[in-house]
Amino acid sequence: MDSALNLLGEVARNAEPNGFRLNENPFFLKFCPRVVFEPDKPELIRGMYLPIDYWRILEQHPTTLGPRQGRQLTFDNAGRHLDNTGFIYLVSKGWIGSTRRSRPFSVTSSTRF
């Protein structure tokens, strides 16, 4: 994601009203509770969407430190997050995501989550 964000940084900044975004970083992570996957159900799995910049703060913050010193993320200790409805609304209205001025690129990564 860092490589992709660096490439996006090379694109000229948007100067059009429809290209304005709440954040220049278009990357979000979605965290979901463990569920039994049911491929025949059309609903989105419940979860929380976090901007990658917010996640980088949380992953270092004491509030995500578990009882055995590992990291744990919950709906409570994440504080703020977007749910499915909020995320879909912001994307559909163009408030988050990349702009039209972004160019296609590919990034390879060996990092597993």
Side-chain angles (χ1 to χ4, degrees):
M1 283 187 275
D2 290 332
S3 299
L5 190 57
N6 288 337
L7 286 172
L8 284 174
E10 295 174 8
V11 177
R13 298 200 38 104
N14 180 69
E16 297 297 320
N18 286 339
F20 174 81
R21 300 295 183 261
L22 294 175
N23 188 348
E24 290 292 321
N25 188 337
F27 298 112
F28 284 74
L29 299 174
K30 182 177 183 180
F31 294 91
C32 304
R34 290 183 186 173
V35 296
V36 175
F37 179 60
E38 298 181 51
D40 294 332
K41 287 194 171 182
E43 299 89 27
L44 289 174
I45 295 174
R46 183 176 149 255
M48 60 180 147
Y49 293 86
L50 302 177
I52 189 73
D53 294 334
Y54 184 49
W55 165 247
R56 288 182 176 145
I57 293 169
L58 285 174
E59 73 177 337
Q60 304 290 326
H61 199 271
T63 59
T64 59
L65 199 58
R68 296 189 310 197
Q69 305 308 304
R71 296 291 171 180
Q72 66 180 22
L73 184 66
T74 67
F75 285 93
D76 290 330
N77 73 4
R80 300 176 287 169
H81 66 275
L82 293 170
D83 62 9
N84 291 334
T85 303
F87 183 77
I88 291 169
Y89 178 80
L90 291 174
V91 170
S92 71
K93 299 299 182 185
W95 286 109
I96 59 175
S98 57
T99 64
R100 294 180 208 206
R101 296 186 58 98
S102 301
R103 59 185 166 87
F105 59 88
S106 80
V107 176
T108 58
S109 174
S110 60
T111 304
R112 290 182 172 257
F113 294 101

